[in-house]
Amino acid sequence: MAQRLDGKALAQKIQAQLATDISQRDPNLRPPGLAVVMVGDNPASAAYVRNKERACDRIGITSFGSHLPADTAQETVAELIDQLNNDERVDGILIQLPLPSHLDSVALLNRIAPDKDADGLHPENMGRLMRGEAGLRSCTPAGVMAVLKEYNIDATGQKAVVLGRSILVGKPMALMLLAANATVTMAHSRTEDLPALCRQADILVAAVGRPNMINSDWIKPGATVIDVGINRIEDETSGKARLVGDIDFASVEPIAGAITPVPGGIGPMTVTMLMHNTVLSYRKRFNG
Ligand code: NDP
């Protein structure tokens, strides 16, 4: 049976450490601040924003929420970002995605000051990752790397396959594994014979968004399997909605070496790395 990689427990541990660090700051300094910008009323986004604000409260980060109506103009959101870039109380800015379709999300993400880019998605921070320089890292893949580190899973010389090539997850994930000395293959919807490719992986990261797509036939025995996918499906017996990953956990757990569950795996780590990035920006600002 695979070892379960408990992202929830690790997230709690890191958040507790961040809370201690913040409580022990120079009392003359303000606490760190995170601004969360949400446009429209997407219920999933609202739940994510609530989660992030609760995490801020627990840790001692001041959260500044801006909830704008769905029909807000591009220029208005851009002006808000400019204000937050100049707001001395704010160390991190997060735009909750997806934005309504009339907004140009790339232009808005690129407008965030790179040193306040808590999500690590600005081209400058992505470029720094590409170049192997220090910078704010994308939260989800950074969360995956933190889990590997916690469980002493060394990527050096390992064959890693990353399923998915999005800017949010797949691409930065591949770069982080490369930086950790893995031999990395990126796969996507046009890749041929995915199961055969995945069976070569010592470390498999799935970030596809297809419920239970990957079963035991795709897995090398003993591999580390990281499930980034979060998919809402209807439970066949209860009829209620529940969350599953891209990995068919029941079939893969018996043959993998280590596996992250959904929920309780990478999800809580993503929020935690957002807090971590905000505190990192804060420390840089105050040399603390
Ligand atoms: P995207 O939809 O942006 O990207 C999905 C990627 O998967 C694309 O590169 C796509 O390939 C590839 N893909 C889709 N279908 C297949 C297929 N049948 N075979 C092979 N590859 C396929 O999604 P995200 O990267 O934003 O998110 C991926 C998953 O991770 C989602 O379930 C999302 O909810 C979850 N997620 C979880 C987070 C967490 O905190 N745990 C945070 C962010 C996302 P192509 O490029 O060719 O289209």
Side-chain angles (χ1 to χ4, degrees), residues 159-177:
K159 287 199 181 84
V161 171
V162 179
L163 274 180
R165 57 175 165 179
S166 70
I167 282 287
L168 192 60
V169 189
K171 281 182 189 162
M173 183 75 259
L175 288 168
M176 287 182 206
L177 285 163

Side-chain angles (χ1 to χ4, degrees), residues 61-258:
I61 294 174
T62 311
S63 61
F64 302 94
S66 304
H67 188 178
L68 306 174
D71 60 356
T72 304
Q74 176 86 10
E75 200 42 47
T76 308
V77 188
E79 278 165 18
L80 172 63
I81 292 167
D82 291 348
Q83 272 171 33
L84 295 170
N85 282 339
N86 294 318
D87 189 330
E88 284 306 319
R89 302 165 303 167
V90 171
D91 304 292
I93 303 169
L94 164 90
I95 301 176
Q96 185 62 46
L97 300 174
L99 288 171
S101 56
H102 69 280
L103 295 173
D104 177 350
S105 50
V106 173
L108 293 170
L109 288 170
N110 292 358
R111 203 165 178 120
I112 294 174
D115 66 343
K116 294 192 176 186
D117 172 35
D119 246 348
L121 297 176
H122 190 279
E124 184 173 319
N125 285 314
M126 287 275 179
R128 286 176 177 275
L129 170 62
M130 180 79 156
R131 293 175 58 96
E133 295 172 5
L136 294 168
R137 297 291 192 243
S138 320
C139 297
T140 303
V144 172
M145 297 312 292
V147 168
L148 295 180
K149 185 165 176 236
E150 175 72 7
Y151 285 90
N152 297 313
I153 298 169
D154 185 359
T156 304
Q158 302 272 289
K159 287 199 181 84
V161 171
V162 179
L163 274 180
R165 57 175 165 179
S166 70
I167 282 287
L168 192 60
V169 189
K171 281 182 189 162
M173 183 75 259
L175 288 168
M176 287 182 206
L177 285 163
L178 185 64
N181 299 315
T183 302
V184 184
T185 306
M186 297 182 71
H188 45 79
S189 65
R190 308 291 177 90
T191 302
E192 288 184 6
D193 200 354
L194 276 172
L197 179 70
C198 292
R199 271 195 298 276
Q200 295 173 20
D202 302 305
I203 299 174
L204 177 65
V205 181
V208 173
R210 309 241 177 250
N212 299 324
M213 178 173 117
I214 295 143
N215 63 40
S216 57
D217 292 342
W218 300 43
I219 305 295
K220 178 176 176 176
T224 297
V225 180
I226 305 286
D227 195 351
V228 174
I230 299 181
N231 309 291
R232 193 173 290 274
I233 62 163
E234 193 178 294
D235 190 277
E236 281 165 15
T237 39
S238 70
K240 286 188 184 154
R242 67 183 179 98
L243 295 182
V244 296
D246 295 340
I247 306 283
D248 179 9
F249 190 88
S251 98
V252 171
E253 190 185 27
I255 70 159

